[in-house]
Amino acid sequence: MAKPRSPLQRWLTRRIGYPLEAVLVLGVCRLFRALPLDRASALGGWIGRTVGPWLPNSARARRNLTRAFPEKGSAEIEAIVRGMWDNLGRTIAEYPHLEQIGRERVEVVGAEHVDRLREDGKAGIIVTGHLANWEVQPVAARLHGLEVGVVYRAPNNPIVGELLLKLRGVALGTQIPKGPDGARMLLRHLTRGGHVGMLIDQKMNDGIPVPFFGRDAMTAPAAAVLGIKLNLPLCPTRTERLDGARFRLTVLPPEEYPTSGDRNADARILMERLNRLLEDWIRDKPAQWLWIHRRWPD
């Protein structure tokens, strides 16, 4: 367990660390905005795969990969780690260009399901994970006529959080923070007929244990609970990076809800199904998922 920081360390972080970090983030965003999309994406990928494997988080990625793919050798694991950092670097560099990506660089498979979500007169839920550039989904949906609110985790640095809200807000629209206030905002958004996108692949300490790559992972059940409670269509959606800053968005038909009559049991069954689906997508292209997450309790 990490040693708690002293009051002085916390003060230094707030007064010095956070502003310096914000200046760095702002400078990086301005650099990538000044470059054409393909050059920005390529530069971000180069920085990611050059620097990322040496960062401390890569040790967690290697550990997670070794446990998820015990059949893979060290060379394969290292290649996936480099590919993961390349993808993450590109994703960061592509933030200022999300509108262009949505207009020009996304092919949509299953667009009929987007049309149905838009036209059925009901709220709806889209579930996905941190795959490829996950920010592409709500942009592409909006350009297809479907406004999708996004549930997000606020950064620890509130100054960076404000910068990212402004940067993402232009392209993504309604943004709903995690936490008690965000939960109430999410419920209001859905009961008023809105649509929401939810990432279901991050550890949630007070979630439910659901198998993921052969081990229980604490999983947020909110998507399943709300979908079942409000009887809303829930569509799993996958983003794949095809080549550079080009993407394929695959929208699956709404999930069939379990009907045992026990909502908690039904929600667990649905989350198990969604985790299996997400695992299949990750196994197909493991370098496009964020292995640096603390996804499992150990």
Side-chain angles (χ1 to χ4, degrees):
M1 182 179 295
K3 183 179 179 180
R5 292 185 301 167
S6 68
L8 176 59
Q9 288 174 317
R10 292 195 296 269
W11 184 88
L12 289 172
T13 297
R14 290 194 304 269
R15 296 293 185 176
I16 300 175
Y18 283 169
L20 287 176
E21 184 181 36
V23 169
L24 176 62
V25 170
L26 182 60
V28 168
C29 289
R30 286 178 173 173
L31 168 63
F32 289 135
R33 182 183 290 114
L35 294 173
L37 168 57
D38 289 318
R39 289 185 182 179
S41 180
L43 176 59
W46 179 82
I47 294 172
R49 66 179 179 269
T50 301
V51 177
W54 299 96
L55 298 178
N57 281 349
S58 288
R60 184 183 307 126
R62 294 183 183 101
R63 183 171 63 251
N64 287 337
L65 280 160
T66 300
R67 291 175 174 178
F69 299 108
E71 74 282 4
K72 294 187 183 298
S74 59
E76 287 182 278
I77 297 297
E78 286 304 314
I80 294 172
V81 170
R82 287 195 303 273
M84 176 199 70
W85 283 110
D86 177 276
N87 179 73
L88 181 56
R90 288 178 179 273
T91 297
I92 293 170
E94 289 159 358
Y95 262 95
H97 303 280
L98 286 173
E99 281 285 335
Q100 181 184 351
I101 292 173
R103 289 193 311 270
E104 304 172 3
R105 304 295 186 90
V106 182
E107 65 175 66
V108 180
V109 178
E112 66 274 15
H113 305 307
V114 180
D115 295 337
R116 192 171 298 117
L117 284 171
R118 184 185 64 237
E119 297 169 2
D120 64 7
K122 300 173 62 176
I125 300 172
I126 294 172
V127 294
T128 189
H130 289 82
L131 291 159
N133 186 335
W134 53 91
E135 304 285 14
V136 166
Q137 287 197 21
V139 179
R142 179 170 56 78
L143 294 173
H144 204 76
L146 180 69
E147 293 287 344
V148 178
V150 177
V151 178
Y152 73 97
R153 180 190 177 278
N156 293 332
N157 184 339
I159 307 174
V160 170
E162 287 298 319
L163 289 173
L164 292 180
L165 279 176
K166 292 177 182 177
L167 180 65
R168 300 166 78 229
V170 174
L172 302 190
T174 302
Q175 299 179 67
I176 303 168
K178 290 185 177 181
D181 291 340
R184 289 186 287 271
M185 183 178 176
L186 171 61
L187 186 58
R188 287 196 302 270
H189 186 74
L190 290 172
T191 54
R192 292 171 181 173
H195 296 80
V196 67
M198 304 179 73
L199 295 157
I200 61 171
D201 59 347
Q202 285 185 300
K203 180 183 176 184
M204 182 179 180
N205 289 331
D206 56 351
I208 59 175
V210 180
F212 190 55
F213 281 93
R215 292 183 288 154
D216 278 349
M218 298 304 291
T219 303
V225 170
L226 289 169
I228 292 171
K229 179 179 179 180
L230 302 176
N231 190 29
L232 302 177
L234 184 152
C235 293
T237 307
R238 177 187 186 183
T239 304
E240 299 169 76
R241 186 180 295 276
L242 301 179
D243 179 28
R246 296 185 181 276
F247 302 88
R248 177 187 297 124
L249 183 61
T250 303
V251 185
L252 300 185
E255 288 287 314
E256 294 287 337
Y257 289 134
T259 57
S260 72
D262 182 333
R263 283 185 178 174
N264 290 333
D266 288 346
R268 180 181 297 274
I269 292 169
L270 180 56
M271 293 310 303
E272 289 175 353
R273 192 190 305 163
L274 293 172
N275 264 13
R276 286 196 298 271
L277 180 61
L278 185 61
E279 182 178 328
D280 288 342
W281 293 344
I282 296 168
R283 287 183 181 277
D284 183 40
K285 294 187 176 181
Q288 295 194 12
W289 190 59
L290 274 182
W291 292 95
I292 55 177
H293 281 168
R294 293 184 182 276
R295 188 65 188 91
W296 294 273
D298 54 344

